Amino acid sequence: MAGQHKYSVLLPTYNERENLPVIVWLLTKTFQENNIDYEIIVIDDNSPDGTLEIAKQLQKIYGEDRILLRPRAGKLGLGTAYVHGIQHATGDFIFILDADMSHHPKFMTEMIRLQQAKNLDVVTGTRYAGNGGVYGWDLKRKVISRGANFLATVLLRPGVSDLTGSFRLYKKEVLAKLISSCISKGYVFQMEMMVRARQFNFTIGEVPITFVDRVFGDSKMGAMEIVGFAKGLLQLFVAV
Amino acid sequence: MTRATEAATFFGITATLYLALLFQWLPITLPKTVQEFTLPVLPWWALVTFGAYSLGNIGYHVLTFRDCPEAYDELQVQISQAQNDLRSKGVSIK
Ligand SMILES: Nc1nc2c(ncn2[C@@H]2O[C@H](COP(=O)(O)OP(=O)(O)OP(=O)(O)O)[C@@H](O)[C@H]2O)c(=O)[nH]1
Ligand SMILES: [Mg+2]
C-alpha cells in the first residue's frame, strides 16, 4: 500500500522491558502484512530495567536494518529523544508512538491511507473523535482529560480534536522543522507540535484511535503533570 | 500575532465598545431599558453564559467519551501471541 515510501518509527523507551518486545512484534506484523518498508529506531535512555538488552535480542531476530538502536547515556527526556532519533531516520515518513502499547500499531495503516489520499503533512491519532476511545480511565481521569483539552482548545484554537495525543505520522522534513521550532517539554511538547504545524500552514488530518492504559509498568499521571500542563499551556498561549 | 495578543485585542476592543455604550460617550441613544437594565448586567451575563457553555461542553464530552474494552481484549490476546512467538525465538521474556 505504501508504494516507494519508507516509514521510520521513533520509539523512545524508558523502563519498557516488558512492553518493547510486544510493541515491536505488533509493529513488524502490521508493516509486513501490508508490505510496507520500515525501520524501528529504539531510543533507550539507559533504562535500569535492561530495556536495551531486550532491544538487542529483538535486533538479532528482525535484523539490523529493521531495528536500529540509538541509546543515550541517561534519561534526557522525550523531546530530545525525538531530535536524536530523527537524525538517524532513513525513511521519508516518521511515525511517533509510545512504546507502552497505549497506541496500537494497527492504526498505522489508516493513518497512511489518509496521508496518501490527501497528501497531508501530519496525521494525528485522536481519542476524542469518531470511533476513538479509551480503556481503563475512571470518571476523574476523563474529566481531567476533557477539561484540559477544552482549555487548550479555547486558548490555542489549534484545529485538531486531540491536542495531547502522541500517536502521529509526519513527513520527515515537516517533523524536522517542527522539532527545531518547538520550545516546550513533556506533555506540552505534543501540543506545541500541533500548534506550530497550524502556524506553518502544514496540513493535518485526524484518525480516530483507541487508547489502552499501559498494561505493564507504572503510570506517572499525577498532580505534577497537571501543574506542568497548565504552565506549559500558558507559555504557549503567550508564545505562539 | 500570538494567541495571547489576539485575545487581548479582542477583549480590548469589546471592553472599549462596551464602556462607550455604558457611559454614553457615543452620540447614540439606546432604548431606556437597554441602557439602564441590560447594559449593566451584560458582562455578568457573558461570564455566566461562557461558564455554562464550558461546563456543558466538558460534561457532554465526558459522558460521550467512548470506552473501548474490545481494544483491551484484543490487546491481551495479542500480547500472549507476541510473547509466545518471541519466547520461542529466544527472547528472554518472563
Ligand atoms: N528515551 C526516553 N523515553 C522516554 C522518556 N520518558 C518517557 N519515555 C518513553 O516515552 C513514551 C511515553 O511515556 P509514558 O511514560 O508512557 O508517558 P504517558 O503515556 O504520558 O504516561 P503513562 O501513564 O505512564 O503511560 C514511553 O514509550 C516511554 O518509555 C525519557 O526520558 N527518555
Ligand atoms: Mg503511556
Side-chain angles (χ1 to χ4, degrees):
Chain A
M1 72 181 283
Q4 317 299 321
H5 299 296
K6 180 172 181 179
Y7 294 80
S8 302
V9 180
L10 302 188
L11 213 52
T13 57
Y14 193 76
N15 286 344
E16 304 287 8
R17 186 192 174 90
E18 286 172 287
N19 289 313
L20 184 66
V22 183
I23 191 78
V24 166
W25 190 85
L26 288 171
L27 282 166
T28 51
K29 180 176 140 84
T30 308
F31 284 130
Q32 281 168 4
E33 282 174 359
N34 294 283
N35 269 319
I36 300 168
D37 192 13
Y38 73 96
E39 67 186 2
I40 300 169
I41 304 176
V42 180
I43 306 128
D44 186 64
D45 278 2
N46 201 7
S47 304
D49 76 345
T51 305
L52 191 58
E53 265 319 300
I54 294 285
K56 283 178 183 157
Q57 297 179 11
L58 292 166
Q59 193 181 36
K60 287 217 181 68
I61 294 174
Y62 293 103
E64 290 190 4
D65 54 332
R66 295 299 188 194
I67 314 272
L68 283 65
L69 306 182
R70 296 292 177 264
R72 300 188 295 175
K75 192 171 187 331
L76 298 170
L78 256 185
T80 56
Y82 297 134
V83 179
H84 183 73
I86 197 177
Q87 286 164 359
H88 302 280
T90 63
D92 47 345
F93 284 91
I94 311 267
F95 269 108
I96 285 183
L97 73 166
D98 292 352
D100 60 3
M101 293 188 282
S102 293
H103 300 138
H104 198 296
K106 70 181 175 190
F107 294 108
M108 292 191 303
T109 52
E110 189 53 42
M111 294 166 84
I112 292 174
R113 221 187 318 275
L114 183 67
Q115 190 284 323
Q116 292 186 339
K118 299 183 176 173
N119 190 23
L120 297 169
D121 296 315
V122 185
V123 175
T124 175
T126 175
R127 299 160 286 185
Y128 300 138
N131 227 6
V134 291
Y135 176 82
W137 287 22
D138 58 8
L139 187 66
K140 183 178 156 205
R141 178 111 185 251
K142 284 183 175 175
V143 171
I144 292 175
S145 167
R146 276 309 200 175
N149 205 61
F150 175 77
L151 194 65
T153 307
V154 169
L155 290 183
L156 304 176
R157 283 172 287 131
V160 291
S161 62
D162 192 344
L163 258 184
T164 49
S166 48
F167 188 178
R168 289 174 185 156
L169 169 63
Y170 296 89
K171 283 180 182 164
K172 186 184 182 180
E173 69 277 7
V174 169
L175 180 63
K177 172 137 194 226
L178 287 175
I179 284 182
S180 66
S181 57
C182 281
I183 47 174
S184 38
K185 306 241 174 322
Y187 262 107
V188 186
F189 180 78
Q190 305 294 355
M191 285 201 291
E192 182 171 8
M193 298 275 271
M194 285 300 99
V195 178
R196 299 269 180 205
R198 186 219 41 170
Q199 194 182 37
F200 292 134
N201 285 320
F202 289 137
T203 50
I204 308 174
E206 290 193 297
V207 168
I209 59 161
T210 54
F211 182 98
V212 177
D213 247 353
R214 59 164 68 242
V215 181
F216 302 118
D218 295 324
S219 175
K220 321 173 306 299
M221 180 73 187
M224 276 323 286
E225 266 65 42
I226 298 175
V227 174
F229 173 86
K231 268 167 66 180
L233 182 59
L234 285 180
Q235 271 164 12
L236 282 186
F237 183 55
V238 294
V240 184
Chain B
M1 237 186 0
T2 73
R3 289 309 196 200
T5 47
E6 274 176 30
T9 315
F10 173 77
F11 280 110
I13 293 174
T14 315
T16 315
L17 208 67
Y18 172 74
L19 292 176
L21 288 174
L22 186 68
F23 298 119
Q24 296 176 301
W25 296 335
L26 303 174
I28 303 174
T29 18
L30 292 169
K32 197 162 176 272
T33 45
V34 173
Q35 192 66 48
E36 285 177 10
F37 299 104
T38 314
L39 276 186
V41 296
L42 202 60
W44 306 111
W45 174 84
L47 203 66
V48 170
T49 305
F50 178 72
Y53 169 74
S54 304
L55 286 182
N57 185 298
I58 294 170
Y60 172 77
H61 283 122
V62 167
L63 289 179
T64 56
F65 211 156
R66 200 173 77 83
D67 282 301
C68 48
E70 75 288 348
Y72 176 78
D73 297 338
E74 180 191 14
L75 187 61
Q76 290 304 316
V77 174
Q78 290 178 330
I79 288 175
S80 36
Q81 279 176 355
Q83 289 180 331
N84 289 333
D85 182 40
L86 290 171
R87 224 180 261 126
S88 75
K89 288 175 177 154
V91 179
S92 44
I93 291 170
K94 275 173 273 167

